[in-house]
């Protein structure tokens, strides 16, 4: 048995009885569970979903009443879809992942519903599209649960995924279908629908990082600038990752998008640090970040502009700082409890439904609403990290970590950008902001996390969890 | 790896904690400063993004309305009548506030949520607006404006028995629509051009600008004779072309040095300045000042739009040191000035048996269900004179049209009472602009007046030939009276 094979064995054989586990035996068949409310997790989930639906209904009625002064009588079909979709997800979990954690689905449904209500109030046409994309997202969620019966399956296709990710990243540069929006060439247009392939590519890259790092962690862990020989080994091991990473960075430079460049770079650096426990990667990464930021600020007007605006938006309140200044006004006007759903004027902020939806929530629901959103994201990040801590094997743990990082950092960056805590990076607020690709990607992301969550619970049912992860060996 | 994951959890705790701190800073500690920052137009937008009720003329013509538009304000205020009704409606502007009826009836016009009285009301409620019907007659407003033409001036037409303003024209006027634009540049450039125009289009000359009333003031002086010293009416003043004034070498002469004299009706008919100057001195400062105040001088008429100015007549004590001024004041010059509204009210007071009704532009306000919620109830503003005096003054004013200075406005079959006024403002000390402020006050039919009118055409560039009240203001009066009283 060569080392690679040993590693393979090591990665999956975390439990003595893993070869006899149910999922392994039925790997190529869709394993359906019998829906039952006797499972306390699903019962809890259903209860929370009903509560979520009530909240969604109230938010919808309040927002429309505030906007028009009339209690809405004709409820658009898209609103009904938004109310029904969470139950389809619930049914999917009942059938396909009955032991998954009950907390995330009600939370993401709440975020999706809240975002939809805000978009409906700002732009009914976009809201109908958002509902359509939510449905596509839920289909993606269910398909992911059906296809990825065991998350370790993904490990096998890592290079395929990397190639696919690179293809997706390159897609907007293609002449006919690629499209420039707000100076960034991130979109692909098919008829009336625009799509940001990078949102999906981001997921695939994250899984590739996880898979590759778990396999090469021992080699990678030896990286140190003081030991040249070992460093050269590490660099050789890190080669493919560096390649994938630099290609995506390069392409994103060509596509003029700071947000995703930064996001993927940070996920890469943190993931390699988590996998190896080698602090040098953080030092090295920070150095690279400083150099990259400096070069980007010099080379790209957009980066320079965002930093300038961040330092003093008031100076440019009528020009390049207009958007952020309007967002800050919105937060201020909202105050502690907000001006009331439907009663504010978030339409004063340009492109409010995608990048600045958080400011619209801040204006209409105040600190109470923004804190609620913040808590939802914190809870979802907490859920993701708990999944990775309880994951049955190294690859699952690493995948869960990287996926959580993707989700959490994206949420943090856009919220920090809109509140002027950090310069603005044009990423979307997961589940809340208008954007089809982002919705679909995040539904798939949570399907994977819930799959891992379900697996760990199922395995823990048979054996008490024991620490069987490979100790770092020299 | 477990430890690293915990450390990531800690990192997220710090990141989200920082966000929470920043949100508290923005939404609690710094919120007030941000909410009231000058660049934050949310409060303005709040007031401007509601539907707003229409303003209509008495005959149902829409002169201001809100139309739904697709921008942050949702509703755009437009003025279909253009500049014809600018001074009536006023403007409703994001940058420059509101004037006219837009300002005074804002609480009715702006969108509001009605009290919910039924279950179906709960589902159908929403922002509703009231509609304001004015007393303005679109026909008279149009005729008055057309008759004034390109001349600078003002016309006020009143229904004497109620105080309802049937027409109010100020030339040059302005179109309020650009000022209500949602585009800051359109709004500001319109404002710039209006405020930099030397003719002051934004000035409502009908109610806000007082001019020397000239001989139209003789209506008040005549009324004072019968109210305070009827013996003067028995005196026949010998015909002269000029008189010496007490305590000065200055002489007061008649228009074009004509010679005139006689008893009060003859003096009024030809507008005899020398005669009325002597009457003024005989009446004395106290009587004339009291009569002027009784007719509403030195008070702002309680019209229901903002911006009205008071007309002025000096207090009695002023004449103690300036007796010659009393002679000038008696003929509406010197320190006397009046708005077109005030002189229309003088005419209306005489027409209405001495009672001046409160002038008003609102006729009624209807709610969204077309029910009348406010109906204007006529109120007496002032008891200017007795009905007996009013009757005498009316008959003397009828004489002015029957072969007097206002003979030009005579309409066959209708008895009209009128008084001309030509204030030779060059008499003022230091004034170099030649010309006169030309007036006419009239009401008709004399035996049962339904309409009172005051027209002023102040001195201005472009008036040629000999200008008098009869030549400048007279034709406007005649057009309006014809439109109002002659069928067809």
């Amino acid at each position: 048995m060569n080392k690679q094979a040993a590693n393979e064995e090591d990665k999956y054989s975390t439990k003595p009885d893993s070869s006899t586990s149910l999922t392994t035996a039925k790997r190529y068949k869709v394993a359906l569970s019998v829906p039952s409310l006797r499972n306390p997790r699903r019962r809890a989930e259903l209860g929370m979903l009903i509560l979520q639906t009530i909240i969604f209904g109230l938010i919808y009625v309040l927002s429309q009443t505030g906007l028009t002064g009339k209690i809405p009588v004709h409820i658009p079909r898209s609103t009904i879809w938004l109310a029904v979709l969470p139950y389809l997800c619930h049914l999917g979990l009942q059938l396909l992942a009955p032991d998954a954690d009950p907390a995330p689905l009600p939370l993401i449904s709440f975020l999706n519903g809240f975002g939809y209500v805000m978009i409906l109030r700002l732009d009914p046409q976009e809201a109908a599209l958002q509902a359509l994309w939510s449905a596509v997202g839920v289909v993606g969620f269910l398909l992911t649960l059906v296809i990825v019966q065991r998350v370790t399956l993904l490990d096998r296709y890592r290079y395929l995924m990397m190639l696919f990710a690179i293809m997706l990243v390159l897609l907007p540069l293609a002449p006919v279908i690629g499209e420039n929006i707000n100076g960034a060439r991130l979109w692909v247009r098919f008829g009336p629908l625009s799509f940001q392939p990078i949102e999906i590519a981001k997921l695939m890259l994250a899984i590739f990082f996880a898979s590759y790092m778990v396999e090469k962690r021992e080699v990678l862990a030896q990286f140190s600038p003081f030991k040249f020989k070992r460093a050269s080994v590490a660099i050789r091991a890190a080669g493919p990752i560096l390649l994938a990473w630099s290609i995506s960075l390069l392409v994103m430079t060509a596509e003029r998008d700071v947000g995703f460049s930064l996001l993927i770079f940070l996920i890469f650096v943190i993931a390699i640090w988590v996998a190896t426990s080698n602090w040098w990667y953080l030092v090295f990464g920070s150095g690279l970040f400083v150099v990259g930021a400096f070069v980007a600020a010099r080379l790209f007007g957009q980066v320079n502009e965002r930093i300038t605006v961040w330092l003093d938006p008031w100076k440019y309140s009528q020009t390049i700082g207009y958007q952020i200044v309007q967002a800050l006004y919105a937060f201020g006007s909202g105050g502690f409890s907000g001006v009331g759903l439907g009663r504010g004027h978030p339409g004063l902020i340009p492109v409010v439904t995608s990048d600045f939806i958080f400011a619209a929530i801040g204006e209409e629901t105040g600190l109470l609403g923004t804190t609620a959103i913040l808590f939802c994201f914190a809870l979802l990040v907490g859920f993701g990290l708990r999944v990775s801590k309880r994951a049955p094997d190294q690859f699952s743990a690493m995948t869960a970590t990287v996926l959580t990082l993707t989700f959490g950092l994206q949420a943090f960056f856009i919220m920090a950008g809109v509140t002027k805590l950090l310069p603005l990076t044009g990423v979307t607020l997961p589940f809340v902001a208008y954007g089809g690709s982002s919705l679909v990607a995040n539904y798939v992301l949570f399907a994977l996390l819930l799959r891992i969550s379900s697996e760990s619970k199922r395995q823990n049912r048979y054996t008490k969890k024991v620490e069987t992860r490979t100790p770092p060996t020299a | 790896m477990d430890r690293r994951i915990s450390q990531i959890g800690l990192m997220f705790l710090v990141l989200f904690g920082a966000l929470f701190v920043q949100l508290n800073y923005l939404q609690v500690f710094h919120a007030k400063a941000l909410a009231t920052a000058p660049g934050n137009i949310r409060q303005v937008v709040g007031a401007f993004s509601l539907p707003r009720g229409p303003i209509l003329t008495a005959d149902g013509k829409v002169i201001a309305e809100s139309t739904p538009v697709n921008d942050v304000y949702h509703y755009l205020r437009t003025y279909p009548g253009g500049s014809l009704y600018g001074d009536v409606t006023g403007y409703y502007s994001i940058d420059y506030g509101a004037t006219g009826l837009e300002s005074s009836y804002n609480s009715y016009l702006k969108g509001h949520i009605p009290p919910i009285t039924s279950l179906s009301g709960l589902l159908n409620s929403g922002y509703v607006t009231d509609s304001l019907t004015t007393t303005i007659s679109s026909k008279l407003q149009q005729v008055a404006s057309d008759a004034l033409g390109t001349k600078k001036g003002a016309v006020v037409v009143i229904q004497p028995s109620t105080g309802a303003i049937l027409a109010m024209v100020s030339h040059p006027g302005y179109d309020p629509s650009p000022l209500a634009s949602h585009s800051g540049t359109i709004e500001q450039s319109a404002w710039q051009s209006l405020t930099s125009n030397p003719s002051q289009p934004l000035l409502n000359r009908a109610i806000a600008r007082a001019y020397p009333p000239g001989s139209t003031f003789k209506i008040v002086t005549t009324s004072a004779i019968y109210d305070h010293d009827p013996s003067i009416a028995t005196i026949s003043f010998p015909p002269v072309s000029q008189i010496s004034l007490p305590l000065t070498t200055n002489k007061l002469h008649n228009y074009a040095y004509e010679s005139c004299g006689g008893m009060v009706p003859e003096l009024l008919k030809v507008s005899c300045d020398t005669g009325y100057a002597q009457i003024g001195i005989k009446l004395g400062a106290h009587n004339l000042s009291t009569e002027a105040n009784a007719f509403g001088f030195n008070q702002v008429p309680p019209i229901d739009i903002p911006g009205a100015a008071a007309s002025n007549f000096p207090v009695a004590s002023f004449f103690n040191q300036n007796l010659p001024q009393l002679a000038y004041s008696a003929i509406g010059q010197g320190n006397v000035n009046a708005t077109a509204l005030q002189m229309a009210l003088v005419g209306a007071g005489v027409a209405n048996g001495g009672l001046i009704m409160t002038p008003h532009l609102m006729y009624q306000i209807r709610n969204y269900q077309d029910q009348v919620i406010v109906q204007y109830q006529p109120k007496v503003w002032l008891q200017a004179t007795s009905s007996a005096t009013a009757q005498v003054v009316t008959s003397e004013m009828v004489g002015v049209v029957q072969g007097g200075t206002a003979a030009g406005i005579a309409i066959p079959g209708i008895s009209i009472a009128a008084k001309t006024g030509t204030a030779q403002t060059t008499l003022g000390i230091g004034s170099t602009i030649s010309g006169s402020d030309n007036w006419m006050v009239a009401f008709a039919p004399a035996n049962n007046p339904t309409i009172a009118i005051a027209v002023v055409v102040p001195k201005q560039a472009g008036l040629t030939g000999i200008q008098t009240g009869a030549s400048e203001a007279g034709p406007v009066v005649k057009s309006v009276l014809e439109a109002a009283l002659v069928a067809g």
Side-chain angles (χ1 to χ4, degrees), chain A residues 69-70 273-274 277 314 328-333 335-336 345 362-363 366-367 370-371 381 385 388-389 408 412 419 469, chain B residues 1-2 4-9 12 15 19-20 22 24 27-28 31 34 37 39-40 42 45-46 49 125-127:
Chain A
K70 287 181 195 157
W273 168 71
V274 170
S277 295
W314 309 104
L328 295 179
Y329 286 154
F331 280 114
S333 293
F336 181 74
H345 302 285
E363 179 176 353
L367 182 68
T370 48
T371 308
V381 166
L385 293 178
S388 59
K389 276 197 140 184
F412 170 74
T419 54
R469 284 170 187 159
Chain B
M1 208 157 109
D2 263 1
R4 297 288 165 263
I5 294 167
S6 304
Q7 280 161 353
I8 287 179
F12 272 112
L15 293 182
L19 257 178
F20 184 64
Q22 176 76 353
N24 271 280
Q27 303 203 270
V28 178
L34 286 170
N40 190 348
R42 276 175 176 73
V45 174
S49 59
S125 73
Y127 284 103

Side-chain angles (χ1 to χ4, degrees), chain A residues 67-71 73 217 270 273-275 277 279 314 326 328-336 343 345-349 358 362-363 366-367 370-371 374 377-378 381 385 388-389 394 397-398 401 404-405 408-409 412 415-416 419-421 467 469, chain B residues 1-28 30-47 49-50 72-74 113 116 121-127:
Chain A
L67 187 65
T68 60
K70 287 181 195 157
I71 292 176
V73 188
R217 61 199 287 255
I270 297 174
W273 168 71
V274 170
S277 295
W279 288 87
W314 309 104
Q326 289 299 322
L328 295 179
Y329 286 154
F331 280 114
S333 293
F336 181 74
R343 302 294 302 274
H345 302 285
L348 292 170
I349 312 167
F358 192 53
E363 179 176 353
L367 182 68
T370 48
T371 308
L374 198 63
F377 281 112
V381 166
L385 293 178
S388 59
K389 276 197 140 184
Q394 300 265 344
M398 195 66 204
T401 309
T404 307
L405 270 173
L409 283 179
F412 170 74
M415 288 193 284
T419 54
K420 204 184 85 76
L421 187 64
E467 179 56 67
R469 284 170 187 159
Chain B
M1 208 157 109
D2 263 1
R3 267 190 69 199
R4 297 288 165 263
I5 294 167
S6 304
Q7 280 161 353
I8 287 179
L10 202 65
M11 174 192 84
F12 272 112
L13 216 59
V14 171
L15 293 182
F16 285 147
L19 257 178
F20 184 64
V21 170
Q22 176 76 353
L23 282 171
N24 271 280
Y25 169 72
L26 289 178
Q27 303 203 270
V28 178
H30 203 50
K32 206 172 171 192
L34 286 170
T36 56
N40 190 348
I41 58 168
R42 276 175 176 73
Q43 284 168 342
V44 182
V45 174
S49 59
L50 296 174
V72 291
Y73 295 103
H74 307 302
I113 295 173
I116 290 163
L122 188 70
L123 294 173
N124 292 318
S125 73
Y127 284 103

Side-chain angles (χ1 to χ4, degrees), chain A residues 40-243:
Chain A
R41 296 194 145 197
R42 298 279 72 78
R43 205 167 57 222
E45 183 177 80
L46 187 63
M48 287 192 285
L49 273 185
I50 291 168
L51 191 65
Q52 182 273 329
T53 308
I54 293 169
I55 295 172
F56 170 70
L58 283 176
I59 291 176
Y60 168 76
V61 170
L62 279 176
S63 169
Q64 290 300 306
T65 310
L67 187 65
T68 60
K70 287 181 195 157
I71 292 176
V73 188
H74 305 289
I75 297 170
R77 203 175 302 160
S78 51
T79 305
I80 295 164
W81 267 112
L82 252 293
V84 170
L85 286 174
Y87 295 93
L88 295 181
C89 293
H90 171 73
L91 198 65
L93 288 176
Q94 283 270 21
L95 291 167
L96 298 157
D99 295 313
D101 194 307
L105 181 60
L107 286 171
I108 62 179
S109 304
F110 168 72
L111 290 175
N112 196 355
F114 200 166
Y116 164 79
V117 168
M118 293 306 291
I119 295 164
L120 181 69
R121 170 236 175 296
L122 288 159
D123 187 339
Q125 266 181 319
E126 278 189 357
L129 277 176
Q130 179 81 346
L132 179 70
W133 280 115
S134 301
V136 176
V138 168
V139 170
F141 180 90
L142 297 174
L143 276 180
T144 308
L145 287 179
V146 170
I147 294 166
V148 188
Q149 290 279 305
R150 279 197 55 176
V151 89
T152 46
L153 272 179
L154 295 172
D155 200 12
R156 306 185 165 188
Y157 304 112
R158 60 167 175 254
Y159 287 109
L160 196 66
M161 261 194 286
M162 183 191 73
L163 281 173
F164 209 66
I166 290 172
M167 249 177 57
L168 283 174
V169 165
L170 288 169
L171 211 53
L173 293 176
V176 182
I177 49 172
E179 196 181 19
N180 267 9
I181 297 180
N182 302 331
R185 197 178 173 87
L186 273 176
W187 280 261
V188 173
R189 176 170 281 278
F190 297 106
L193 294 178
S194 284
F195 196 79
Q196 259 183 301
I198 192 136
E199 290 273 7
I200 304 293
K202 170 191 83 182
L203 276 188
M204 295 183 157
L205 275 179
I207 295 164
F208 168 72
F209 287 162
S211 160
Y212 196 81
M213 281 166 193
V214 168
E215 190 184 310
K216 305 277 182 182
R217 61 199 287 255
E218 282 168 46
V219 191
L220 290 167
Q222 296 173 22
F223 173 73
S224 161
F226 301 119
K227 297 172 183 163
F228 179 72
K229 200 173 176 192
R230 269 198 274 168
S232 70
V233 171
I235 287 167
R236 231 186 308 144
I241 296 179
L242 278 175
L243 186 72

Side-chain angles (χ1 to χ4, degrees), chain B residues 398-421:
Chain B
V398 171
V400 177
V401 182
Q402 291 169 347
T405 52
I409 66 162
I411 301 169
I414 296 167
S415 162
I416 302 171
K419 183 68 198 87
T420 54

